Amino acid sequence: MHKLLSNWSSNIKSLPESYIFPAESRPGNAMVPFCNTIPVIDLHTSRHHAVQQVLEACHDFGFFQVINHGVDENLLIDTMIVVKEFFDMPNEEKADLFSEDANKKCRLCTSTYDYDIEKIHLWRDNLHHQCHPVDDFIHLWPQKPARYRDVIMKYSLQMGNLSTRILELIGEGLGLGPGYFGDGLTGTQIFSANHYPACPNPNLALGLPKHRDPTLITFLLQDAIYGLQVYRNGEWFGVKPTPKSFIVILGQQIQVISNGKLTSPAHRVVTNSSNHRISIVFSINPKPDSIVKPAKILVDDSNPPLYQSFQSKTFRKTYREKGDYGEGSLDDYKVKA
């Protein structure tokens, strides 16, 4: 528990050396412009229009913003509040959840669960737990704040429904047919809450470094504090938080399924010196033993498979062992020319 940033970060005036990123990967003092062309998908539009918009966004950006998504707006507020309440609790009330065991179904950690062996620490604390099926995991979730389980249960169920809608739109756009993204490809659903305390030297640290998600697809709910940046055409761009919306980010496993037609985008999280920031990630992943491979309908003589098939758990292991946050984790699975 002594490792948690919330234990000591407010008491220091300069960044510990173990949190300082190399010059080539740290944010530095360069001004990063906001991206004003992020696709915004309104799910109140016609299905045909939504399919076109989603597929175009996935092709061109690998991420998009979704509004009028059907997740209750009061629930979004409650979820953010209860997560903030969790991180604000006294340390003794969170101690039983702290763990660096990557196999634990519900855990609180700082930086990553590889803290003791990683070269540079991330400026974040993280609460992470499985949530599908809810009944299988809810007993493992935090018992405090008192309403945590009730709020996050409702959030998880509605996010599961939203993910099904979005994946159906993507599947239809790719021509995969209804129901392609069934339980085998979506059966592991993770709730992950990040707390980024104010940082004394935000030009030297990162909440998350440049990375590509190892997921199928990721849904990001942000508070009002800016921190997300995306890498596009060789440059970093900031993403302004928009109330009541989600940022949807394609993961590397859907890149494989699409046979490279869709790409998982690189992104990172920067810190700031004055405000704490909360972000909530809901990720959809294949079950560990599920086989991930290019969809048959997307492969023919003119479009040979770009990736070998693999078990999802094998890829996740590769992602972790590579230690490069997804930059080279698909290399081992590319079909050799």
Side-chain angles (χ1 to χ4, degrees):
M1 281 293 291
H2 66 281
K3 296 175 182 177
L4 281 179
L5 286 175
S6 57
N7 281 1
W8 53 267
S9 60
S10 61
N11 300 321
I12 62 172
K13 294 184 178 180
S14 62
L15 202 65
E17 186 175 347
S18 59
Y19 286 86
I20 298 176
F21 273 76
E24 65 273 13
S25 56
R26 69 180 65 152
N29 296 314
M31 293 296 294
V32 173
F34 284 108
C35 183
N36 296 316
T37 57
I38 295 174
V40 178
I41 311 299
D42 186 340
L43 291 188
H44 273 179
T45 190
S46 69
R47 183 174 181 87
H48 175 73
H49 193 214
V51 169
Q52 287 184 318
Q53 284 189 311
V54 166
L55 193 64
E56 184 176 338
C58 290
H59 273 303
D60 295 344
F61 283 78
F63 68 97
F64 54 90
Q65 189 175 74
V66 62
I67 60 175
N68 292 322
H69 39 66
V71 179
D72 185 82
E73 292 180 0
N74 290 325
L75 179 59
L76 297 183
I77 295 170
D78 283 348
T79 300
M80 189 62 70
I81 288 173
V82 80
V83 166
K84 288 181 178 179
E85 289 174 349
F86 171 84
F87 283 113
D88 286 342
M89 288 193 310
N91 291 326
E92 57 269 20
E93 295 189 21
K94 297 179 286 192
D96 60 332
L97 291 169
F98 187 84
S99 175
E100 292 170 336
D101 179 1
N103 296 313
K104 192 173 181 182
K105 303 300 183 185
C106 178
R107 65 181 182 272
L108 172 67
C109 66
T110 195
S111 187
T112 73
Y113 41 75
D114 286 329
Y115 184 95
D116 287 335
I117 62 173
E118 64 192 16
K119 295 179 181 178
I120 307 169
H121 302 318
L122 310 182
W123 194 260
R124 70 157 185 175
D125 294 331
N126 175 260
L127 173 66
H128 181 106
H129 58 68
Q130 291 197 36
C131 50
H132 178 75
V134 166
D135 289 345
D136 289 356
F137 297 105
I138 193 171
H139 66 286
L140 302 173
W141 298 357
Q143 297 184 58
K144 295 180 180 180
R147 62 197 193 102
Y148 181 94
R149 292 183 176 180
D150 180 61
V151 171
I152 303 306
M153 175 190 68
K154 293 174 181 175
Y155 182 81
S156 298
L157 292 173
Q158 291 199 26
M159 290 306 298
N161 292 336
L162 175 60
S163 69
T164 297
R165 291 179 68 188
I166 295 295
L167 287 169
E168 282 294 305
L169 295 175
I170 294 173
E172 186 173 332
L174 289 172
L176 302 182
Y180 185 90
F181 294 104
D183 190 56
L185 292 177
T186 62
T188 302
Q189 300 180 12
I190 305 293
F191 179 93
S192 179
N194 296 304
H195 174 222
Y196 304 102
C199 179
N201 303 107
N203 59 319
L204 302 178
L206 284 167
L208 281 169
K210 182 182 179 184
H211 69 285
R212 302 175 195 273
D213 291 348
T215 63
L216 186 73
I217 195 168
T218 301
F219 294 80
L220 175 66
L221 177 66
Q222 306 180 81
D223 65 10
I225 306 302
Y226 159 67
L228 175 65
Q229 294 182 347
V230 297
Y231 195 67
R232 179 168 167 77
N233 299 326
E235 294 183 67
W236 286 107
F237 293 92
V239 178
K240 287 183 179 180
T242 302
K244 305 174 185 176
S245 73
F246 292 98
I247 297 293
V248 183
I249 305 172
L250 300 186
Q252 290 182 301
Q253 296 194 66
I254 205 169
Q255 178 174 325
V256 171
I257 291 169
S258 74
N259 201 34
K261 293 183 182 299
L262 310 180
T263 302
S264 178
H267 51 291
R268 70 182 182 184
V269 175
V270 296
T271 63
N272 71 85
S273 60
S274 55
N275 293 301
H276 292 238
R277 177 174 178 266
I278 297 288
S279 71
I280 297 172
V281 175
F282 194 88
S283 64
I284 307 298
N285 309 268
K287 290 182 175 179
D289 292 331
S290 292
I291 300 299
V292 177
K293 60 184 179 181
K296 288 183 179 180
I297 198 169
L298 301 178
V299 174
D300 56 31
D301 291 340
S302 301
N303 299 281
L306 300 180
Y307 303 97
Q308 306 169 33
S309 62
F310 54 77
Q311 276 191 317
S312 183
K313 65 181 178 184
T314 303
F315 169 71
R316 295 298 292 245
K317 181 181 179 183
T318 301
Y319 185 96
R320 182 180 176 187
E321 290 177 349
K322 286 275 187 179
D324 61 1
Y325 294 95
E327 289 299 291
S329 51
L330 281 178
D331 290 349
D332 291 351
Y333 304 99
K334 289 181 178 178
V335 174
K336 303 298 187 291

